[in-house]
Amino acid sequence: MPSGGSNSSISSGGGQACSNAEGEDSGSPRPLRRDRVHTISDMNPASRKLHLKSAAAAKKNSMKDVKPGISPSFVFLQLYYLGKLGGNNIEKPVLLPTHLPEMQRAMRVLDLIRPQETHKIGVLYVGRGQHTEQEILRNSFGSLRYMLFLQGLGSVLELSAVSEDEVFLGGLDAKGSDGKHVCIWHDDVMQVVFHVATMMPTKESDPNCNGKKRHIGNNYVTIVYNESGQPYSINTIKGQFNHTTVEVVPGDHSTNSVGVLCRPELADFVGGGGSPRLVSDTNLPILVRQIALHADLASTIWESLNRPPHSPYASNWLERLRKIRKIKQMVTDTEGTPPNLMDFTDMVDADKWEKSRAGGSGYWQQFLA
């Protein structure tokens, strides 16, 4: 039959091909051939690794906007409904009348008090033979050792890329009028900004450098890298708030002399007038930063005691608590609720401290009852 002949021809051809293959390599196994529809497609190991990496990167990018932590509203609801906020009317939360202008102003002032400790410190470079305010402020660069000192003092960031809500700038304009870069340092609870005069623009329209002095002259502490060859005077940069100057005089063999100049009222707190310290270039930024931070904290406390309400500064956390208590006092006084006498922040008030010293231990019985 024709069909049978056709099959015989195919079988015969197949047999001849197999016979030839066996003749060429009798020890090789006979290959199994399948149609495409019976195979399972899978990527090779190298492609699989690339696929896993891209999937992990996509997942990481999708989680960037997710911030960890607990919502303050959730914590408030748990404390409120579980009765953890106390049983009397004074300790229960009150609804603030945010529609009133006075309350809106008080809330804006509270937002200005950051939860971290903040410090702003000026940095000046004094070149060879310079001694006037204008000559010092007009410097746009310094020596190589000065630049290495700045690198160790903090991190240099672009002002345009910094968010003012996250980074404390101490009044610097992020739009470019105060320069393109800023030097900052921070840890878990503190943010420090350095107002570096050489990083601020020197404008021909401002020959007296009032733009630089507007920031540096309003800082309590100024770091002076003095290469003039003569002692620096604390009154060189005139200003109302220049309380302390940390003077760095570079010497031979990578050593530096670090001294502190301050107002007489702060000499006992910042160690002004003592013998200069000798320190290497490597450890210089760490020592100068610590001295400047201690001097700035001492100056802040001294200023708080000499202006109303004469309450000693302790930290931004306590300042925020005082402001929150004052806002609550505004509401409770309006509603006719008696003031809270258990505010522990009053214990650090200067007047009450003098009263406690005069009245003896009986004064504290109202807090221990």
Side-chain angles (χ1 to χ4, degrees):
M1 296 177 65
S3 60
S6 176
N7 292 336
S8 299
S9 176
I10 295 175
S11 301
S12 176
Q16 185 178 0
C18 292
S19 176
N20 293 337
E22 291 174 358
E24 294 176 0
D25 189 4
S26 59
S28 300
R30 183 176 179 180
L32 298 178
R33 302 183 181 279
R34 296 181 180 179
D35 295 336
R36 182 65 180 170
V37 297
H38 297 290
T39 61
I40 300 176
S41 178
D42 192 11
M43 64 181 67
N44 57 45
S47 300
R48 187 181 299 111
K49 290 181 179 179
L50 294 176
H51 176 73
L52 293 176
K53 289 182 178 179
S54 60
K59 183 178 180 180
K60 183 178 180 181
N61 293 332
S62 64
M63 296 294 292
K64 281 185 177 180
D65 297 334
V66 179
K67 296 182 179 180
I70 303 177
S71 172
S73 301
F74 175 79
V75 177
F76 175 80
L77 289 176
Q78 301 305 311
L79 295 176
Y80 185 78
Y81 285 106
L82 293 178
K84 300 298 183 181
L85 295 180
N88 54 54
N89 294 328
I90 296 178
E91 296 183 2
K92 284 187 177 180
V94 295
L95 182 63
L96 299 180
T98 55
H99 62 281
L100 298 179
E102 297 83 1
M103 189 58 59
Q104 296 176 2
R105 183 167 56 252
M107 297 299 295
R108 286 195 297 267
V109 173
L110 176 63
D111 291 337
L112 293 177
I113 306 175
R114 291 178 172 265
Q116 307 93 356
E117 293 299 304
T118 56
H119 300 272
K120 52 179 185 174
I121 299 170
V123 180
L124 296 174
Y125 173 78
V126 185
R128 178 68 60 179
Q130 295 180 346
H131 61 278
T132 65
E133 175 183 293
Q134 184 175 358
E135 291 175 340
I136 296 173
L137 291 177
R138 289 185 65 85
N139 286 328
S140 299
F141 58 89
S143 62
L144 177 59
R145 293 179 67 179
Y146 166 74
M147 298 304 296
L148 295 176
F149 168 71
L150 286 183
Q151 291 182 2
L153 198 61
S155 303
V156 178
L157 305 178
E158 292 188 7
L159 269 173
S160 58
V162 172
S163 173
E164 297 185 40
D165 296 333
E166 299 178 357
V167 179
F168 175 68
L169 297 179
L172 291 178
D173 182 21
K175 298 181 180 179
S177 63
D178 293 325
K180 298 181 179 179
H181 299 87
V182 60
C183 181
I184 64 170
W185 181 86
H186 69 91
D187 59 10
D188 294 338
V189 296
M190 184 184 303
Q191 291 191 11
V192 185
V193 58
F194 296 96
H195 293 159
V196 184
T198 54
M199 297 175 63
M200 299 180 185
T202 303
K203 304 176 182 179
E204 295 298 332
S205 59
D206 186 14
N208 295 325
C209 298
N210 292 325
K212 297 183 179 182
K213 187 177 178 181
R214 178 168 58 92
H215 297 290
I216 298 176
N218 287 322
N219 295 337
Y220 293 146
V221 180
T222 304
I223 300 172
V224 177
Y225 198 91
N226 187 6
E227 288 187 319
S228 65
Q230 54 189 355
Y232 180 83
S233 174
I234 192 175
N235 297 320
T236 301
I237 305 298
K238 299 177 177 60
Q240 183 180 0
F241 301 105
N242 286 333
H243 295 341
T244 307
T245 297
V246 182
E247 182 183 10
V248 178
V249 180
D252 299 331
H253 307 293
S254 300
T255 59
N256 304 267
S257 173
V258 180
V260 179
L261 308 173
C262 66
R263 299 178 61 167
E265 306 87 54
L266 297 172
D268 294 337
F269 302 100
V270 300
S275 300
R277 302 169 176 85
L278 292 179
V279 62
S280 64
D281 285 348
T282 304
N283 298 320
L284 178 65
I286 301 175
L287 175 64
V288 171
R289 184 173 59 229
Q290 287 299 109
I291 294 176
L293 290 178
H294 292 166
D296 191 65
L297 179 59
S299 301
T300 304
I301 297 175
W302 186 82
E303 281 285 341
S304 65
L305 290 174
N306 286 274
R307 66 169 183 264
H310 307 286
S311 299
Y313 173 86
S315 66
N316 278 8
W317 300 343
L318 183 57
E319 293 299 319
R320 287 181 62 88
L321 177 60
R322 286 171 175 170
K323 188 60 181 178
I324 292 174
R325 293 288 178 86
K326 186 177 293 185
I327 292 175
K328 186 176 181 180
Q329 191 68 45
M330 293 170 56
V331 179
T332 54
D333 288 348
T334 303
E335 297 177 353
T337 308
N340 186 5
L341 298 179
M342 296 299 295
D343 188 353
F344 73 91
T345 58
D346 291 338
M347 296 183 184
V348 297
D349 185 78
D351 295 335
K352 291 192 175 182
W353 173 250
E354 294 296 333
K355 182 179 178 181
S356 67
R357 295 177 60 186
S361 60
Y363 172 76
W364 300 105
Q365 295 303 320
Q366 59 174 319
F367 300 102
L368 302 176

